[in-house]
């Protein structure tokens, strides 16, 4: 535009050439060859890897071999293609322009351009639009700004909003999946619309003669707000209750939870009714809880002791090592007398307590291999209710040597 | 609060605890009237056919979890020991007793005297007071309206329990006698006349016209299903209850619930009950205070909204396996820590939050079992309110507002 209004001078051609080269450099990272844009994201990664290496190298610059080394993860034909394009577009240039130059440097513009493109890819340009609007706001308020510049900026904004709205409308009528993926990146918040309207107001107040351009801008802003609302409405309706919350980004939720006042948080649950606490305490459960109460360990009472000194019957027990054996031998001998075998039924007394004691002693005798006696039992069993013991299994005490 | 009719009254009683009744005003159907000497009273809901929530045990369905159940019930036993002085009468209303006497009785029961035990007991007293099992007022404890719900058959068990509880060993040096403390706290009742008529009046039978047509077995199945959907902590399986399986019985069950202002809520093959959305009047509000609601909103944002925004929580539910870290609530919100702790306590007690423990520091809070009971409409409304609050200027909020104004 400037070209047509100004006489075609060498300076003008040079300025245009400068703009063009800036453009070329900015999109060098995306170009497959000098005439087209890349179709493989890996190619952009190569550029980014190269720029990172250049930043690290500092004033050492990089040689071709070093560049190849940092990009060793990529196939060499891809790398060569990239380097050729980046060099061709001036994103990577010789440190000093002369033939057979070995060291290269990167262009600052290309790096900034790449950052911008990455950000655009992430949020679809929403935050870019915020920045742009903020900048334009400053620009039109600046006393040095000319009417022509303001007009240009209004025209650009109107075009951006129109294109944005068109894309949203296309999405709104398309598949719901696509809408869900894309729409939140595209739709504007009320803040964007408000800023744009503020900007529009500023331009119109300062340059009333731009009213036709401003009408265009106003219409574009309205169209955009309307398209945003329609897209959101369709999503809210179709997504049902399940996924609505996904339509607000995580950061919005975090900001809300960190900054909202107590009252604002509480207001969310104003219309929701919950039960008052009403646990049921069943009598049986109460009794069980009492039974299961952790109890302190009761102090154990010591058994009662006599106040008088009482040595007990300890003196009457012969505690010498052979005494027990000797006693058992005498018991057995007294029962056997001279004979080598005696029936148990004959030697047991008539009362059970003494018979019991005797049987215990004889069993011990039987189990002591060093004593020359043994018990042998028969299968015979006599039952006599009148006698004691009433049940009697017969057996003999025998001398073994 | 004036006496409301039918379902509305039940909604108020379920969300706000026992209703107060004016002098001479009859209790709504399905409620017990606890009458005071001046003819005013309180109304507490009762259950059909004389059952209590203990019925859930018979069906091996878990009821609403009681926080620190053992301790709470032991303290309730201590209160009963102190307040139920005449065992020939019904436990409610009993006689008021000083808090210190209850604490001494509890101390004798568990045999511990340290400060920690005292703090625990006071916490249990507060929980019992909040759930209307006891009334703590100015250092004096009395049995609360819910104690009138113990069935008469179980009184013998309670009498036996009270008899075997140990008497507290109290030093003779007590400066003020117990009776004086009670009398000082209740000057208005300084001269109570026993015949003035503190009494329990049964409410009108509520479901007889609905249940009368069924034989004993069906009737029992309906009552069982009614109790489990109303009182189980989680939705119950359809196959386990005939009255949920059979569409005709389920219809009757729905009518029974409707008389209490409730509706059946289905989660696939599980059922529970919730408030009927059409009955939630503007002036019926939940008893939760501002700080409790604020904390609950924060947990919903962290446990449900954020995981869902990240695609981790696909289902249409307000329950969540993603705990909100206690630290997040403590450090990254505008709530004072003191208020936060008190609110968390209240919310846990009401079953609105569950504590998740994991390791030493990790763990946190998730929405509690009460969130099973939100109807689809309530779930949607809650979601819209959250969106309106968190992103009031987003197109989504604009869409919500547009739809609401269109309705």
């Amino acid at each position: 535009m400037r070209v047509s209004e100004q006489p075609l001078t060498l300076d003008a051609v040079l300025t245009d050439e400068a703009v063009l080269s800036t453009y070329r450099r900015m999109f060098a990272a995306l170009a497959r060859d000098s005439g087209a844009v890349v179709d493989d994201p890996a190619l952009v990664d190569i550029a980014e890897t190269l720029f990172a290496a250049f930043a690290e190298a500092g004033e050492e610059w990089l040689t071709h071999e070093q560049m190849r080394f940092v990009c060793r993860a990529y196939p060499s034909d891809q790398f060569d293609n990239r380097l050729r394009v980046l060099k061709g577009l001036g994103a990577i240039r010789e440190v000093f322009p002369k033939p057979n130059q070995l060291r290269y440097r990167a262009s600052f513009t290309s790096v900034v351009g790449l950052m911008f493109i990455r950000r655009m890819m992430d949020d679809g340009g929403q935050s870019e639009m915020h920045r742009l609007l903020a900048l334009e706001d400053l620009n039109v308020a600046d006393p040095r700004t000319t009417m022509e510049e303001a007009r240009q900026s209004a025209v650009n904004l109107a075009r951006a909003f129109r294109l944005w709205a068109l894309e949203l409308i296309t999405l709104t009528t398309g598949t719901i999946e696509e809408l869900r993926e894309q729409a939140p990146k595209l739709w504007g918040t009320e803040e964007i619309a408000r800023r744009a309207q503020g900007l529009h107001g500023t331009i119109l107040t300062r340059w009333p003669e731009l009213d036709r351009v401003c009408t265009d801008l106003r219409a574009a802003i309205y169209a955009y707000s309307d398209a945003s609302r329609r897209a959101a409405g369709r999503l809210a309706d179709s997504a049902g209750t399940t996924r609505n919350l996904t339509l607000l980004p995580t950061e919005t939720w975090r900001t809300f939870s960190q900054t909202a006042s107590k009252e604002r948080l509480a207001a969310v649950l104003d219309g929701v009714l919950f039960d008052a606490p009403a646990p049921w305490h069943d009598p049986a459960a109460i009794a069980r809880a009492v039974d299961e109460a952790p109890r302190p360990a009761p102090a154990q009472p010591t058994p009662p002791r006599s106040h008088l000194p009482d040595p007990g019957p300890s003196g009457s027990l012969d505690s010498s090592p052979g005494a027990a054996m000797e006693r058992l031998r005498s018991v057995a001998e007294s029962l056997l007398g001279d004979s080598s075998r005696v029936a148990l039924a004959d030697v047991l007394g008539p009362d059970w307590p003494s018979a019991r004691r005797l049987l215990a002693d004889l069993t011990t005798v039987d189990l002591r291999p060093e004593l020359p006696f043994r018990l042998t039992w028969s299968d015979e069993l006599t039952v006599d209710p009148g006698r004691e013991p009433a049940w009697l299994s017969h057996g003999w005490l025998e001398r073994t040597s | 609060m004036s006496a409301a009719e039918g379902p509305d009254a039940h909604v108020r009683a379920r969300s706000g605890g026992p209703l107060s009744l004016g002098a001479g005003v009859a209790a709504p159907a399905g409620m017990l009237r606890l009458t005071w000497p001046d003819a005013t009273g309180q109304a507490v809901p009762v259950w059909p056919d004389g059952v209590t929530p203990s019925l859930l045990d018979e069906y091996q369905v878990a009821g609403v979890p009681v926080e620190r159940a053992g301790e709470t019930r032991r303290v309730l036993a201590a209160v009963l020991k102190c307040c139920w002085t005449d065992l020939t009468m019904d436990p409610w209303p009993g006689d008021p007793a000083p808090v210190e006497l209850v604490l001494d009785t509890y101390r004798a029961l568990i045999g511990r005297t340290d400060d920690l035990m005292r703090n625990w007991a006071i916490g249990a007293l507060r929980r019992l007071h909040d759930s209307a099992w006891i009334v703590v007022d100015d250092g004096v404890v009395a049995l609360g309206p819910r104690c009138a719900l113990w069935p008469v058959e179980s009184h013998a068990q309670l009498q036996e329990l009270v008899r075997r509880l140990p008497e507290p060993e109290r030093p003779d040096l007590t400066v003020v006698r117990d009776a004086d403390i009670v009398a000082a706290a209740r000057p208005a009742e300084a001269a109570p006349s026993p015949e003035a008529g503190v009494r329990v009046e049964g409410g009108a039978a509520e479901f007889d016209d609905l249940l009368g047509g069924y034989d004993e077995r069906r009737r029992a199945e309906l009552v069982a299903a009614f109790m489990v959907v109303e009182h189980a902590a989680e939705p119950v399986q359809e196959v386990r209850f005939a009255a949920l399986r059979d569409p005709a019985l389920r219809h009757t069950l729905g009518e029974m619930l409707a008389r209490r202002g409730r509706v059946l809520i289905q989660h696939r093959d599980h059922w529970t009950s919730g408030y009927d959305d059409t009955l939630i009047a503007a002036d019926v509000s939940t008893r939760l205070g501002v700080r409790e609601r604020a904390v609950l909103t924060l947990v919903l944002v962290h446990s449900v909204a954020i995981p869902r925004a990240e695609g981790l929580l696909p289902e249409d539910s307000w329950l969540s396996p993603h705990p909100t870290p206690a630290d997040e609530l403590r450090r990254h919100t505008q709530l004072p820590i003191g208020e936060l702790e008190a609110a968390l306590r209240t919310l846990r007690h009401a079953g609105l939050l569950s504590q998740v423990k994991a390791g030493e520091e990790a763990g946190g809070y998730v929405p509690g079992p009460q969130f099973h009971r939100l109807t689809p409409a309530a779930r949607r409304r809650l979601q819209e309110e959250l969106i309106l609050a968190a992103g009031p200027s987003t197109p989504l909020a604009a869409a919500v507002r547009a739809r609401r104004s269109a309705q």
Side-chain angles (χ1 to χ4, degrees):
Chain A
M1 224 159 272
R2 215 174 310 162
V3 180
S4 65
E5 284 167 9
Q6 287 174 352
L8 194 64
T9 62
L10 193 61
D11 277 345
V13 174
L14 279 179
T15 317
D16 280 359
E17 184 51 39
V19 171
L20 271 179
S21 70
T22 310
Y23 268 59
R24 267 200 237 109
R25 264 180 248 154
M26 180 165 156
F27 289 104
L30 288 174
R32 188 170 51 199
D33 55 53
S34 310
V37 172
V38 289
D39 55 359
D40 182 0
L43 297 180
V44 183
D45 291 341
I46 293 182
E48 205 162 303
T49 314
L50 275 177
F51 290 144
F54 273 113
E56 226 162 273
E59 285 185 52
E60 293 294 304
W61 318 118
L62 286 180
T63 63
H64 186 275
E65 287 69 31
Q66 284 167 323
M67 284 192 274
R68 179 71 198 106
F69 181 73
V70 295
C71 294
R72 61 197 176 281
Y74 304 99
S76 68
D77 58 326
Q78 267 190 19
F79 169 73
D80 290 338
N81 165 299
R82 247 359 12 223
L83 194 59
R84 190 166 41 77
V85 173
L86 289 173
K87 277 203 285 193
L89 293 172
I92 292 176
R93 282 183 289 177
E94 299 90 345
V95 172
F96 190 77
K98 65 175 184 184
N100 302 322
Q101 178 61 41
L102 290 178
R103 295 194 171 267
Y104 295 87
R105 64 188 173 91
S107 148
F108 166 74
T109 315
S110 301
V111 178
V112 173
L114 198 58
M115 280 164 54
F116 171 72
I117 289 157
R118 289 271 164 172
R119 216 167 46 222
M120 289 288 282
M121 285 171 172
D122 283 346
D123 67 1
Q126 258 211 61
S127 54
E128 265 353 282
M129 203 61 183
H130 269 290
R131 288 192 192 100
L132 198 61
L133 285 169
L135 279 178
E136 292 291 343
D137 227 3
L138 287 178
N139 274 347
V140 296
D142 190 337
R144 284 169 299 180
T145 311
T146 64
M147 184 175 88
E148 185 51 32
E149 279 166 337
R151 195 179 69 87
Q152 196 58 45
S153 117
V155 167
N156 285 343
L157 280 176
R159 190 182 305 138
F161 274 119
R162 271 201 198 289
L163 287 174
W164 230 354
L166 277 176
E167 194 160 345
L168 271 175
I169 289 169
T170 324
L171 278 173
T172 311
T173 51
T175 64
I176 194 75
E177 286 73 23
E178 209 181 353
L179 182 63
R180 190 176 293 149
E181 285 298 308
Q182 304 289 336
K185 284 185 188 172
L186 290 171
W187 65 38
T189 57
E190 274 172 16
E191 201 185 339
I192 286 191
R194 208 177 54 239
R195 277 205 169 163
Q197 273 169 4
L199 183 66
H200 158 266
T202 315
I203 296 177
L204 195 58
T205 325
R206 207 167 146 193
W207 296 282
E209 51 274 52
L210 287 181
D211 96 13
R212 208 175 58 81
V213 183
C214 283
T215 311
D216 265 2
L217 177 59
R218 203 165 51 231
I221 294 170
Y222 289 152
Y224 175 65
S225 309
D226 191 52
S228 296
R229 235 190 328 272
R230 252 191 292 166
R234 172 149 188 243
L235 259 192
D237 283 340
S238 70
T241 48
T242 318
R243 304 195 37 145
N244 249 347
L245 297 173
T246 63
L247 302 178
L248 288 188
T250 309
E251 275 319 305
T252 309
W253 290 118
R254 278 195 204 288
T255 311
F256 173 59
S257 76
Q258 291 178 5
T259 57
S261 68
K262 193 167 68 174
E263 287 71 22
R264 205 174 134 213
L265 288 168
V268 170
L269 292 171
D270 268 349
V272 188
L273 202 54
F274 293 110
D275 298 345
W280 174 247
H281 298 297
D282 189 52
I286 298 173
R288 203 160 49 238
V290 168
D291 291 338
E292 288 166 0
R295 280 168 208 286
Q300 285 195 344
T302 43
R305 303 255 183 243
S306 167
H307 293 293
L308 300 170
D310 178 11
S314 56
S316 60
L317 186 70
D318 187 356
S319 57
S320 60
M325 208 66 92
E326 205 42 54
R327 191 185 66 82
L328 290 171
R329 182 189 295 276
S330 67
V331 167
E333 288 290 359
S334 70
L335 291 177
L336 282 168
D338 295 336
S339 57
S340 61
R341 195 166 188 260
V342 61
L344 286 180
D346 299 337
V347 298
L348 290 181
D351 66 316
W352 176 239
S354 61
R356 194 173 57 187
R357 205 171 305 128
L358 184 63
L359 276 172
D361 278 344
L362 291 180
T363 311
T364 318
V365 166
D366 181 49
L367 290 171
R368 289 278 189 178
E370 61 269 39
L371 292 177
F373 311 101
R374 73 168 176 230
L375 283 175
T376 52
W377 294 101
S378 74
D379 291 338
E380 192 185 347
L381 179 72
T382 50
V383 181
D384 183 356
R387 237 189 92 167
E388 194 168 353
W391 297 69
L392 193 63
S393 52
H394 294 265
W396 286 269
L397 176 65
E398 296 172 344
R399 203 185 290 277
T400 56
S401 59
Chain B
M1 197 187 295
S2 65
E5 275 311 303
D8 192 33
H10 279 282
V11 167
R12 284 170 198 275
R14 182 151 178 140
S15 62
L19 305 179
S20 13
L21 299 172
V25 178
M31 291 204 198
L32 217 54
R33 187 180 209 276
L34 311 180
T35 306
W36 295 110
D38 60 357
T40 62
Q42 280 180 297
V44 277
V46 290
W47 301 282
D49 290 355
V51 299
T52 65
S54 312
L55 187 75
L56 268 62
D57 293 342
E58 290 175 32
Y59 288 88
Q60 298 182 330
V61 173
V64 180
V66 182
E67 210 190 344
R68 289 178 180 270
E71 196 174 273
T72 309
R73 285 173 179 156
R74 284 192 282 279
V75 171
L76 182 56
V79 174
L80 201 58
K81 167 95 182 165
C82 300
C83 295
W84 194 12
T85 44
D86 183 356
L87 294 185
T88 58
M89 309 268 282
D90 285 348
W92 191 88
D95 295 314
V99 170
E100 285 306 322
L101 178 65
V102 173
L103 290 177
D104 286 343
T105 308
Y106 181 62
R107 199 171 291 145
L109 168 61
I110 66 163
R112 279 180 63 173
T113 54
D114 47 317
D115 283 352
L116 193 57
M117 169 245 109
R118 190 188 159 88
N119 290 346
W120 284 351
I122 287 174
L125 283 174
R126 190 178 48 226
R127 289 196 296 278
L128 287 166
H129 174 84
D130 286 346
S131 51
W133 281 95
I134 62 172
V135 180
V136 185
D137 183 20
D138 199 13
V140 173
V141 186
L143 292 174
R146 277 192 216 278
C147 292
L149 295 173
W150 281 319
V152 180
E153 312 86 80
S154 68
H155 288 176
Q157 190 173 21
L158 290 171
Q159 281 162 0
E160 200 266 332
L161 176 70
V162 166
R163 281 199 197 98
R164 68 190 167 91
L165 285 182
E167 289 286 344
E169 292 173 19
R170 305 196 84 198
D172 300 328
L173 307 171
T174 314
V175 181
V176 188
R177 287 184 306 129
D178 291 343
D180 296 339
I181 295 177
V182 173
R186 310 207 154 185
E189 295 172 33
S193 51
E195 292 78 28
V198 178
R199 62 187 184 276
V200 180
E201 294 162 289
E206 192 185 11
F207 298 127
D208 275 353
D209 56 323
L210 287 176
L211 295 174
Y214 290 101
D215 59 30
E216 278 300 306
R217 190 173 61 85
R218 293 257 160 75
R219 189 177 169 122
E221 278 165 356
L222 275 168
V223 170
F226 177 84
M227 294 305 286
V228 293
V229 294
E230 282 282 80
H231 295 285
E234 310 269 321
V236 289
Q237 262 187 313
E238 180 177 297
V239 288
R240 293 189 55 197
F241 294 90
L244 290 174
R245 268 195 321 267
D246 179 347
L249 288 179
R250 201 195 301 146
H251 180 76
T252 308
L253 178 61
E255 284 182 66
M256 289 168 73
L257 288 169
R259 293 197 185 174
R260 300 230 156 163
R262 312 278 291 172
V263 288
L264 273 172
I265 295 171
Q266 185 174 17
H267 297 273
R268 294 201 202 88
D269 56 345
H270 285 63
W271 295 87
T272 185
S273 63
Y275 291 104
D276 183 352
D277 296 302
T278 58
L279 275 178
I280 300 180
D283 65 324
V284 180
S285 66
T286 221
R287 268 204 328 194
L288 294 178
V290 170
R291 63 181 185 205
E292 282 81 13
R293 279 180 290 151
V295 172
L296 193 52
T297 303
L298 285 171
V299 173
L300 290 177
V301 166
H302 283 285
S303 290
V304 182
I306 290 181
R308 196 167 287 164
E310 288 169 350
L312 300 174
L313 198 68
E315 275 199 72
D316 171 25
S317 164
W318 285 95
L319 286 117
S320 162
H322 305 283
T324 303
D327 222 37
E328 178 79 36
L329 295 175
R330 223 171 278 138
R331 295 201 183 155
H332 301 144
T333 65
Q334 303 292 314
L335 289 167
I337 289 188
E339 292 194 15
L340 177 73
E341 296 297 333
L344 286 173
R345 216 161 38 214
T346 311
L347 291 169
R348 268 201 319 264
H349 177 48
L352 285 164
L353 286 186
S354 306
Q355 197 164 11
V356 180
K357 292 204 172 104
E360 283 290 302
E361 293 293 308
Y365 296 89
V366 293
Q370 275 216 42
F371 282 88
H372 285 297
R373 298 190 179 275
L374 294 182
T375 58
R379 291 201 290 269
R380 184 183 185 116
R381 199 169 55 243
L382 179 51
Q383 163 167 299
E384 290 178 351
E385 289 296 337
L386 263 181
I387 288 172
L388 288 177
S393 63
T394 57
L396 213 50
V400 168
R401 279 191 292 266
R403 191 175 41 238
R404 286 195 178 176
S405 61
Q407 276 167 2

